[in-house]
């Protein structure tokens, strides 16, 4: 079903709204959450909370694109749960992808503020400089925390090439942040 | 990594713009998982090879504005005496090329391809050569004993670039050849007429068709090249005299590419996840396989400056 039609169902407060949303996005949301939590129960909880969040947000919001809107809600809920749950396995896909990215991003000094929003803006500016394929590679690896194997399969490139390109992108990010005054 | 930093990076990534997240979601949808059976995949591959092979005998040399004609051929190049039998063979070629294909290929498509091949026979005059012109691909086995300086003193161009396209070719008839042509965009010209941003086509002596790979013994990492691969390339320039032949039949590399590789072991430096694959026993770059392409480029420039001194320049 078209995203606009789903949004109209939410505006109409129709029972079909969440059903339609789930039919289209549940698989994706499950993947986003599982890469962080690695626990089906917690994932199910986050997805249900996502639907509630969307129900409460629409109306008045008219998100476009809807896919990013729901994915972000799920991701944020999953991250909150991840931090709250000290028993969560630390070898989750998200941990691995963050460890990979960590060397490219400077640790703020004691005096500097840990301004995630500001870093986020820089990352967005960096992503604008990339070609579409490399940008998708980056977002899938570090936002979706997809495995290199899955990314390579979906993008029809070898795993080795995907790894090589990600390494190059991380280096480019490091140089970009350095140039913007964000030193590693 | 501290927990604080992990949270910091995760929160920063949460700020990634919606358009980029949606782009990644949609990009997945645009590239669906391959749904077809192996047999149909082979059919598609064979059909693609057939369509590409129809262009094998096109005449315009790459990089030349001149349309090649009989008059443009070197004077001592003669028509192949076996042209007639070659022609006959070509009309049978669709069957040969498609012999591994199943009945899914449409008969009308086959007939169309036969007609296209027959119409292209005239172009054979322009590629088939004769004696005196054959310069088969040098196996470069002698390079096995050469030092870095000796190899760099050969007539090779050197540039760092990225593969942007790969085309597979199959030539059948009096001579069978399978090869690939890679399009490379130049990032850094180390010793080449090419400059940053230029693209070129490079003949590679291997081909992957329908899951099978035809290759040579000294192919090295050339067969690992794929779209997106980044490497330092050391190919030779093609000329009409460089190519492959069988009897009076001649195929010139310059009809397909600007450059060619004889072997990949000592003439290619391929970027990998952990550094670079290359002949570390020949090129003594600090760091060995962990050296980056940029470090290797610097090393090569150093060797070239010593070799050519004040005469070192791009060519």
């Amino acid at each position: 079903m078209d995203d606009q039609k789903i949004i109209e169902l939410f505006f109409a407060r129709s029972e079909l709204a969440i059903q339609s949303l789930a039919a289209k996005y549940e698989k994706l949301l499950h993947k986003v959450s599982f890469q962080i939590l690695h626990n089906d129960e917690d994932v199910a909880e986050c997805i249900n909370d996502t639907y509630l969040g969307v129900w409460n947000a629409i109306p008045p919001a008219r998100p476009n694109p809807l896919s990013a809107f729901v994915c972000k809600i799920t991701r944020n809920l999953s991250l909150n749960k991840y931090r709250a749950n000290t028993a969560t396995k630390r070898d989750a896909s998200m941990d691995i992808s963050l460890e990979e990215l960590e060397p490219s991003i400077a640790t703020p000094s004691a005096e500097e503020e840990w301004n995630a929003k500001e870093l986020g803006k820089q990352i967005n500016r960096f992503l604008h400089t990339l070609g579409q394929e490399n940008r998708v590679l980056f977002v899938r690896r570090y936002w979706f925390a997809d495995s290199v194997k899955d990314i390579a399969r979906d993008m029809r490139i070898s795993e080795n090439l995907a790894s090589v390109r990600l390494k190059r992108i991380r280096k480019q990010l490091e140089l970009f942040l350095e140039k913007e005054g964000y030193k590693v | 990594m501290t927990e604080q930093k992990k949270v910091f990076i995760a929160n920063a990534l949460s700020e990634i713009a919606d358009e980029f997240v949606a782009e990644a979601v949609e990009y997945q949808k645009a590239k669906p998982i391959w749904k077809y059976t192996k047999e149909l995949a082979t059919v598609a591959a064979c059909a693609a090879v057939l369509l590409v092979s129809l262009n094998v005998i096109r005449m315009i040399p790459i990089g030349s504005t001149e349309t090649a004609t009989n008059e443009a051929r070197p004077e001592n190049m003669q028509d192949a005496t076996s042209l007639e039998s070659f022609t006959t063979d070509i009309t049978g070629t669709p069957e040969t090329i498609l012999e591994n294909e199943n009945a899914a290929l449409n008969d009308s498509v086959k007939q169309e391809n036969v007609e296209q091949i027959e119409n292209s026979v005239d172009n054979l005059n322009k590629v088939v050569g004769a004696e005196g012109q054959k310069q088969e691909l040098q196996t470069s086995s002698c390079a096995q004993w050469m030092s870095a300086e000796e190899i760099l003193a050969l007539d090779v161009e050197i540039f760092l670039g990225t593969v942007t396209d790969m085309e597979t070719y199959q030539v059948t008839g009096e001579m069978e050849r399978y090869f690939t042509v890679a399009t490379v965009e130049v990032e850094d010209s180390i010793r080449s007429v090419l400059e940053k941003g230029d693209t070129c086509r490079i003949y590679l002596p291997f081909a992957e068709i329908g899951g099978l790979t035809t290759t040579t013994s000294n192919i090295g990492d050339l067969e690992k090249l794929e779209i997106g691969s980044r490497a330092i390339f050391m190919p030779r320039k093609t000329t009409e005299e460089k190519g492959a032949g069988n009897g009076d039949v001649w195929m010139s590399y310059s009809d397909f590419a600007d450059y060619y590789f004889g072997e990949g072991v000592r003439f290619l430096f391929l970027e990998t996840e952990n550094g670079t694959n290359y002949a570390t026993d020949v090129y003594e770059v600090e760091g060995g396989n962990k050296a980056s392409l940029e470090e290797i480029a610097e090393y090569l420039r150093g060797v070239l400056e010593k070799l050519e001194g004040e005469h070192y320049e791009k060519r």
Side-chain angles (χ1 to χ4, degrees), chain B residues 49 60 104 122 159 187 206 262-263 267:
Chain B
V49 165
I60 300 171
D122 285 342
F159 47 86
E187 194 182 310
F206 82 94
E263 60 123 291
F267 294 82

Side-chain angles (χ1 to χ4, degrees), chain A:
Chain A
M1 186 183 283
D2 183 57
D3 282 352
Q4 289 312 309
K5 289 194 177 131
I6 295 176
I7 291 171
E8 290 310 322
L9 287 172
F10 276 95
F11 267 81
R13 306 319 266 171
S14 163
E15 289 173 3
L16 290 174
I18 292 181
Q19 273 180 44
S20 306
L21 185 71
K24 190 167 183 181
Y25 290 114
E26 182 147 320
K27 199 172 166 186
L28 175 63
L29 298 181
H30 185 276
K31 191 179 170 190
V32 168
S33 185
F34 194 82
Q35 300 290 55
I36 298 169
L37 295 171
H38 274 242
N39 177 297
D40 283 329
E41 266 183 47
D42 289 343
V43 166
E45 198 178 315
C46 282
I47 290 177
N48 284 335
D49 288 346
T50 298
Y51 296 147
L52 180 62
V54 175
W55 181 262
N56 289 337
I58 306 174
R62 269 193 186 273
N64 184 17
L66 182 60
S67 57
F69 182 76
V70 295
C71 283
K72 280 196 167 184
I73 293 177
T74 299
R75 188 174 186 272
N76 289 338
L77 287 168
S78 303
L79 283 174
N80 290 340
K81 195 156 196 68
Y82 173 83
R83 285 171 208 139
N85 186 356
T86 55
T88 301
K89 278 171 69 175
R90 270 353 194 206
D91 59 349
S93 310
M94 192 198 68
D95 284 300
I96 297 168
S97 72
L98 288 178
E99 298 236 357
E100 206 173 271
L101 190 59
E102 191 259 341
S104 303
I105 295 174
T107 303
S109 66
E111 295 77 30
E112 288 168 335
E113 202 184 322
W114 291 68
N115 193 334
K117 269 195 176 340
E118 186 53 40
L119 176 59
K121 278 186 195 167
Q122 300 283 17
I123 291 175
N124 277 319
R125 289 180 58 206
F126 168 69
L127 289 175
H128 268 294
T129 69
L130 298 180
Q132 188 193 36
E133 274 214 6
N134 280 344
R135 190 164 49 236
V136 168
L137 254 171
F138 183 94
V139 172
R140 283 201 60 180
R141 181 70 182 135
Y142 302 117
W143 195 93
F144 285 93
D146 278 342
S147 68
V148 174
K149 186 177 172 184
D150 286 347
I151 296 171
R153 182 202 61 214
D154 291 345
M155 295 184 79
R156 295 183 182 174
I157 57 178
S158 65
E159 271 187 63
N160 178 61
L161 183 60
S163 293
V164 167
R165 284 171 75 169
L166 281 166
K167 186 182 173 186
R168 206 179 311 146
I169 293 168
R170 291 196 299 273
K171 186 68 187 173
Q172 286 173 345
L173 173 63
E174 187 184 322
L175 293 172
F176 180 89
L177 292 175
E178 211 171 296
K179 195 176 147 196
E180 296 297 314
Y182 198 93
K183 289 188 183 138
V184 174

